[in-house]
Amino acid sequence: MLKEILFILFSVVGFSLTYYIWKKTIKSKKKLLCFISNQGACDKVIKSKYGHMFGIDNTILGMLYYILILAVGLTYFVYPSLTTLNYFILGEKIITGLAAGMSIILTLIQFFVLKQFCEYCTVANIINVLIFAVVWGL
């Protein structure tokens, strides 16, 4: 029961955060200001060449990921027997592992390549690692 609640909680928080970033920077073309770090750092990170993969903005990929995680969390409640199937569990582990791995890579790029700190990005990356930890029972 805790796993399901954490899935839903993390997916809603993650989606809300990435939607805010997308709405602020991509849709309205405004500058994203950080609260903690250098005032232009978040905007520099979001709009850097690392702000998209496969030609798709990272915020859109993030929103899609969080919708998928929300669907998985809701599946636990609606069809609990489905979640015991090996392919469901394997798919869950692969998807969250890829997301956590990319989050770690993007965090390292943020600090060591861009030398900028975006707290919005960092929180989203932490959420992805937490989702991974929930799936793997860490």
Side-chain angles (χ1 to χ4, degrees):
M1 183 70 142
L2 179 61
K3 180 179 181 178
E4 298 87 346
I5 293 169
L6 289 174
F7 257 58
I8 292 169
L9 175 68
F10 290 149
S11 64
V12 168
V13 172
F15 181 85
S16 301
L17 180 63
T18 53
Y19 177 78
Y20 173 77
I21 295 169
W22 174 79
K23 185 177 178 191
K24 185 83 169 173
T25 61
I26 307 303
K27 187 176 179 198
S28 67
K29 308 277 189 221
K30 293 183 181 177
K31 192 173 186 176
L32 183 63
L33 298 177
C34 300
F35 293 108
I36 299 171
S37 62
N38 177 333
Q39 289 301 312
C42 287
D43 204 57
K44 288 176 186 173
V45 171
I46 299 293
K47 294 180 180 172
S48 75
K49 69 179 183 178
Y50 305 102
H52 54 277
M53 284 187 274
F54 315 113
I56 303 170
D57 189 82
N58 287 348
T59 56
I60 293 171
L61 293 172
M63 287 187 288
L64 292 172
Y65 172 70
Y66 293 123
I67 288 170
L68 176 65
I69 294 303
L70 177 61
V72 169
L74 293 174
T75 300
Y76 283 122
F77 285 111
V78 179
Y79 301 108
S81 61
L82 182 67
T83 61
T84 61
L85 299 175
N86 288 338
Y87 69 86
F88 189 87
I89 295 167
L90 179 62
E92 182 181 69
K93 288 182 176 187
I94 290 170
I95 290 167
T96 59
L98 289 171
M102 283 309 302
S103 294
I104 291 167
I105 290 168
L106 289 172
T107 299
L108 293 173
I109 289 171
Q110 186 181 172
F111 289 113
F112 297 112
V113 176
L114 299 174
K115 296 182 177 27
Q116 301 288 329
F117 173 71
C118 171
E119 61 256 19
Y120 297 107
C121 304
T122 303
V123 169
N125 292 336
I126 289 170
I127 290 170
N128 293 341
V129 171
L130 289 172
I131 291 170
F132 173 78
V134 167
V135 167
W136 287 82
L138 304 175

